[in-house]
Amino acid sequence: MIEIKNLKVNVEGKEILKGINLTVNKGEVHAIMGPNGSGKSTLANVLAGREEYEIIDGTILFEGKNLLEMSVEDRAREGVFLAFQYPIEIPGVSNTNLLKNAVNSIRKYRGEEEIDAVDLLALIKEKMSLVEMNKELLSRSVNEGFSGGEKKRNEIFQMAVLEPKLAILDETDSGLDIDALRIVANGVNKFRSSENGIILVTHYQRLLDYIIPDFVHVLNDGKIIKSGDKSLALELEEKGYDWVKDQYAEMASA
Amino acid sequence: MSKITELKNWYLDKFKDFENSLNGESKLPFHQTRIDAIQKFSDLNFPTIKDEEWKFTNISSLLNHNFKPASENVLEFDHSIIEKYLFDEKEYITIVFVNGVFSQKHSNIHSLGEGIVISNLKNAMVEHPEVIEKYLGKFAGYEKNIFTALSTAFAKEGTFIFVKENKIVEKPIQVLFVTSSNEEVFSSPRNLFVFGINSQAKIIESYVGVSDKTSFTNAVTEVILEMGAVVEHVKVQDESERAYHIARTEIDQERSSNYSSYNVNFGGTIVRNDLTTTFNDEYGFCKLNGLYLGKGNQLIDNHTLMNHAMPHCESHEMYKGILTDKSRGVFNGKIFVKRDAQKTNAYQQNKTLLLSEDATINTKPQLEIFADDVKCSHGATVGQLDKNALFYLRTRGLSDQQAKTILIYAFASDVVHSISMRQVRDHLEKLLSEKLLTADLKD
């Protein structure tokens, strides 16, 4: 589904990603873990098309198309979705209005008819129940005055409505209490299917107790220094990141 | 002879023609006021950027035109041309002026109850001389204002609304001023709205242009709210890009009256609004909301004065501007709190979105407070669209233009969303979307 090769990215003149290689196939969940400042969020934002980031080298193919040449909106329309680490508050724009515009933009791009208001409402209702979101939040402005947990749930709710092919969840677990974490994870698990892929960017293993990844990658200093299955996450939880770093350094010097 | 003297002589000549056309009307007492006003016009100077109140608004291009008083040339048009500007004529009372002259043909004044008068000002001078005598020209003084002097000299056509004590005008009143001419015309609508004790009404004052000739509208409106009157007053100015629009609105608020103003401007070449509200008794409430959208080389200037002359009154003011291309905005918001006006509560905000490098705003709050037990606040912000919000919307599939439009719309909507008339709100929202669609929103 997505094939990232030798991706190097500068942020404000500083090299943050130093040659990322990552392939995610349909039906797979990949967790990207790593210490603060390792480049996890940069990777997530580059995939979504954040324009301030400078691509120095590398390629990204999404469903065979060159992702790096696509505008932010076209990536979304092709099926890439980023759940933000810090969802943006947009006063004056209701959640329903955002979703209506988003669904119709995506449909238009795919040559489909605009969604009928009744169908949209039905879709919204169905997906809201997935993340146990309160109906009254719909008419409120996007994320405005939402609690941390409500914001994260709203991201997962939007994802459920837009049904992307590839969902990138950037630290969706941060700032969530255990109940909210369970609800969010439940929403992601219901979304998970053999037809889509998920990249989970996370700092902690605890999210992976609820969303079981197929692969775990350790990102450090802009590079993936180790990959494994879900047991790697548990090992990291127990032993921290230093042993992986040491192992990588040894391999590099060998 | 200097150009300005020449121009003044042009208007003085036009006044003579106007006087000759008056016939019996020149026998009415108000005519002496006209004569005094034209004299004043002759004595006063047009403002220049050296005048503090006109510092950012250079009207010299206006003074390069010899506009003709409109009554000389009315371009007839089919009613269907202005239908898009009119609200549902069954639900609204409609009074239409073409180039400042009352048009019976396009108006639809119906279902007025007893004690409610809506007519052309000219008729009111004959039929309600006591009301004219008491109010007309008493609030918009012309001694220091050349445009008001000009308006007063030519005062004849305009909307007269008189609502007697305890009467409620059930249907909103739409006053539509249409500019339609193949010549450069000058219209001077003169409005007088008098709301008696505990009366209620809703008014929409619209200015539109259906021809693309340069035009000059010099409007003066006096609004009187007697004790307990409740009035909602929406002004929508949407003239051609060649229009000059100078408007003065003076509001007198008596005890416990409640006035809400929505002043929406989509701009001409130069638009200048002077809006003054005076609390002349206690417990008044006033809301001044303003919205302006500038494109191209337009200049939109709003000067407001909230005059707290008496205690226990409350005013809320919110003006928002959206400026694109090379357009310019000016906001000057004065709040005067007189020594006696204790327990005043006054709030003012001006927010501007600058959508291009070349757009400019000059904003100036001006608070002069002489009472010591008051609550007054003001704020001004100038900014661009939030880049993070734009990115967020685009990651949801919205195009750049769509995302910008939504954000601008969100910025603007809270100014008009409290308008009680749904058709008016919808119309404004539609106008705003249309204007944004054709505006250049590229960085």
Side-chain angles (χ1 to χ4, degrees):
Chain A
M1 172 173 293
I2 191 163
E3 208 180 342
I4 304 168
K5 278 190 183 159
N6 192 34
L7 182 67
K8 293 182 181 173
V9 175
N10 276 11
V11 180
E12 288 168 355
K14 197 178 160 219
E15 194 174 2
I16 302 295
L17 298 182
K18 301 177 177 174
I20 300 279
N21 293 294
L22 177 69
T23 299
V24 177
N25 296 309
K26 268 191 193 175
E28 293 176 356
V29 174
H30 290 243
I32 298 188
M33 304 185 72
N36 282 331
S38 58
K40 301 189 299 289
S41 277
T42 302
L43 177 61
N45 278 280
V46 164
L47 294 179
R50 173 81 70 178
E51 281 153 343
E52 299 91 282
Y53 296 177
E54 194 191 346
I55 315 290
I56 303 302
D57 201 3
T59 56
I60 306 178
L61 287 182
F62 179 69
E63 301 272 73
K65 294 180 190 165
N66 184 349
L67 191 76
L68 293 175
E69 279 186 353
M70 289 180 205
S71 65
V72 177
E73 53 269 37
D74 281 352
R75 295 177 195 210
R77 294 160 179 173
E78 287 284 346
V80 175
F81 181 91
L82 172 67
F84 281 58
Q85 180 178 7
Y86 303 108
I88 311 294
E89 298 192 6
I90 310 182
V93 179
S94 74
N95 284 293
T96 313
N97 188 15
L98 166 63
L99 285 171
K100 190 180 103 193
N101 276 285
V103 168
N104 284 330
S105 297
I106 293 169
R107 285 185 166 227
K108 195 176 155 196
Y109 182 79
R110 295 178 185 162
E112 298 166 11
E113 295 255 313
E114 284 205 353
I115 193 165
D116 155 302
V118 178
D119 292 346
L120 178 70
L121 207 66
L123 177 70
I124 285 174
K125 271 189 184 159
E126 179 204 332
K127 304 297 184 185
M128 274 190 109
S129 65
L130 277 187
V131 286
E132 298 172 35
M133 231 172 78
N134 195 330
K135 222 169 86 182
E136 68 164 35
L137 294 182
L138 273 184
S139 55
R140 291 208 354 226
S141 293
V142 176
N143 295 325
E144 195 187 31
F146 283 30
S147 70
E150 281 170 338
K151 284 181 183 172
K152 296 298 177 79
R153 267 196 262 175
N154 197 21
E155 295 292 286
I156 301 306
F157 163 58
Q158 290 176 16
M159 177 190 79
V161 171
L162 299 179
E163 294 180 324
K165 292 178 189 155
L166 175 69
I168 305 144
L169 311 186
D170 188 6
E171 309 239 4
T172 297
D173 52 333
S174 67
L176 293 186
D177 63 32
I178 196 72
D179 292 328
L181 183 69
R182 214 176 276 141
I183 292 168
V184 162
N186 191 29
V188 175
N189 284 329
K190 282 186 181 147
F191 165 74
R192 185 176 184 172
S193 84
S194 59
E195 289 306 304
N196 55 38
I198 298 173
I199 298 177
L200 290 175
V201 173
T202 180
H203 198 67
Y204 302 104
Q205 126 79 20
R206 63 171 194 161
L207 177 68
L208 307 182
D209 287 340
Y210 299 95
I211 307 169
I212 313 293
D214 301 299
F215 300 93
V216 174
H217 309 277
V218 179
L219 188 64
N220 185 59
D221 192 26
K223 283 181 186 166
I224 290 177
I225 58 170
K226 192 173 178 67
S227 298
D229 61 13
K230 62 180 179 186
S231 62
L232 177 59
L234 292 167
E235 218 173 335
L236 289 168
E237 177 81 355
E238 200 182 310
K239 301 198 277 190
Y241 288 106
D242 286 348
W243 66 277
V244 192
K245 289 187 204 170
D246 293 344
Q247 209 178 48
Y248 182 74
E250 266 170 46
M251 269 170 51
S253 62
Chain B
M1 206 170 5
S2 86
K3 236 166 100 181
I4 296 294
T5 317
E6 222 173 285
L7 182 75
K8 274 193 170 175
N9 285 340
W10 163 268
Y11 284 114
L12 294 174
D13 271 353
K14 295 297 150 195
F15 181 74
K16 279 184 201 135
D17 299 343
F18 171 72
E19 237 183 341
N20 291 333
S21 74
L22 284 175
N23 302 323
E25 290 162 56
S26 62
K27 306 280 188 301
L28 293 167
F30 185 74
H31 192 62
Q32 189 53 47
T33 311
R34 288 192 188 111
I35 292 167
D36 293 345
I38 197 73
Q39 183 57 49
K40 208 70 206 168
F41 169 79
S42 168
D43 297 344
L44 287 165
N45 293 315
F46 282 105
T48 68
I49 51 170
K50 287 180 188 144
D51 293 273
E52 187 60 30
E53 295 301 314
W54 293 83
K55 202 171 165 184
F56 302 106
T57 301
N58 187 339
I59 57 159
S60 57
S61 67
L62 166 70
L63 306 179
N64 287 334
H65 296 269
N66 286 348
F67 294 101
K68 287 188 174 171
S71 50
E72 291 178 14
N73 192 314
V74 172
L75 189 68
E76 270 310 323
F77 53 83
D78 198 75
H79 192 65
S80 61
I81 290 181
I82 57 165
E83 259 165 10
K84 66 173 177 174
Y85 303 111
L86 294 170
F87 302 110
D88 185 343
E89 289 175 67
K90 285 191 210 79
E91 301 296 322
Y92 286 69
I93 296 161
T94 310
I95 177 162
V96 178
F97 292 79
V98 179
N99 301 334
V101 179
F102 175 65
S103 165
Q104 183 73 53
K105 174 183 158 192
H106 297 296
S107 299
N108 195 350
I109 303 170
H110 59 95
S111 53
L112 296 180
E114 207 206 313
I116 300 168
V117 181
I118 299 174
S119 72
N120 189 2
L121 184 68
K122 181 174 91 171
N123 301 55
M125 286 176 176
V126 179
E127 288 154 19
H128 300 278
E130 72 298 342
V131 183
I132 298 294
E133 174 74 15
K134 189 172 174 191
Y135 300 106
L136 186 64
K138 298 296 188 289
F139 301 91
Y142 56 79
E143 285 76 12
K144 289 175 189 160
N145 186 322
I146 191 167
F147 291 110
T148 305
L150 189 62
S151 156
T152 308
F154 285 90
K156 182 177 126 195
E157 305 278 329
T159 310
F160 175 75
I161 299 175
F162 178 44
V163 184
K164 286 192 179 151
E165 201 172 320
N166 297 323
K167 296 294 175 192
I168 294 172
V169 189
E170 299 286 350
K171 292 183 172 164
I173 305 157
Q174 184 183 16
V175 185
L176 178 71
F177 293 98
V178 186
T179 301
S180 164
S181 175
N182 40 27
E183 288 183 298
E184 296 193 344
V185 292
F186 152 61
S187 55
S188 29
R190 181 72 188 220
N191 305 311
L192 178 64
F193 305 156
V194 180
F195 303 100
I197 294 169
N198 293 329
S199 65
Q200 291 186 22
K202 295 173 183 181
I203 296 162
I204 310 101
E205 188 188 342
S206 324
Y207 294 84
V208 302
V210 296
S211 63
D212 58 2
K213 275 279 170 202
T214 305
S215 62
F216 172 32
T217 298
N218 179 33
V220 175
T221 303
E222 289 168 289
V223 185
I224 295 97
L225 281 79
E226 296 290 4
M227 187 175 78
V230 180
V231 175
E232 185 177 348
H233 185 180
V234 180
K235 176 181 169 183
V236 186
Q237 182 272 335
D238 181 26
E239 290 162 296
S240 89
E241 285 178 27
R242 292 196 182 174
Y244 290 89
H245 183 96
I246 296 195
R248 179 172 175 195
T249 307
E250 289 285 328
I251 301 113
D252 162 46
Q253 286 198 247
E254 297 301 325
R255 194 179 186 82
S256 303
S257 59
N258 181 331
Y259 177 76
S260 304
S261 157
Y262 298 90
N263 180 13
V264 183
N265 293 276
F266 292 112
T269 295
I270 295 177
V271 175
R272 164 67 178 243
N273 287 302
D274 280 279
L275 194 152
T276 300
T277 303
T278 305
F279 288 118
N280 282 319
D281 206 337
E282 298 178 85
Y283 300 104
F285 178 83
C286 177
K287 176 159 78 180
L288 300 181
N289 273 7
L291 178 65
Y292 46 98
L293 174 67
K295 299 201 295 181
N297 289 306
Q298 293 178 329
L299 167 63
I300 303 173
D301 176 348
N302 281 297
H303 271 61
T304 65
L305 165 58
M306 200 57 250
N307 192 359
H308 282 266
M310 297 293 278
H312 297 288
C313 291
E314 190 170 336
S315 63
H316 295 189
E317 178 169 9
M318 166 69 89
Y319 267 67
K320 284 190 174 183
I322 301 156
L323 299 170
T324 66
D325 307 328
K326 290 180 176 168
S327 65
R328 288 182 298 138
V330 179
F331 175 77
N332 180 290
K334 297 185 184 72
I335 299 177
F336 292 170
V337 182
K338 298 282 164 69
R339 185 165 301 148
D340 292 337
Q342 299 295 2
K343 306 287 180 190
T344 285
N345 191 347
Y347 164 90
Q348 180 194 91
Q349 270 283 332
N350 174 232
K351 294 185 179 179
T352 311
L353 261 186
L354 290 182
L355 297 177
S356 85
E357 295 265 316
D358 299 321
T360 53
I361 173 79
N362 290 101
T363 175
K364 183 183 173 194
Q366 195 177 330
L367 276 63
E368 295 180 16
I369 300 166
F370 296 100
D372 54 13
D373 184 14
V374 300
K375 267 195 254 174
C376 287
S377 68
H378 69 88
T381 62
V382 178
Q384 282 88 40
L385 291 174
D386 180 352
K387 285 213 159 61
N388 288 320
L390 273 177
F391 177 64
Y392 187 81
L393 291 172
R394 291 176 66 200
T395 64
R396 298 321 185 228
L398 279 69
S399 70
D400 189 51
Q401 170 94 16
Q402 212 180 350
K404 282 176 177 160
T405 306
I406 281 192
L407 291 180
I408 296 165
Y409 199 77
F411 170 82
S413 63
D414 71 334
V415 176
V416 293
H417 94 267
S418 58
I419 292 175
S420 72
M421 296 159 280
R422 194 184 169 144
Q423 282 192 38
V424 179
R425 226 167 43 224
D426 289 350
H427 172 73
L428 288 175
E429 287 176 355
K430 198 169 140 251
L431 264 180
L432 190 62
S433 308
E434 277 172 19
K435 305 274 170 189
L436 290 177
L437 215 60
T438 55
D440 183 8
L441 299 179
K442 305 237 165 44
D443 304 306

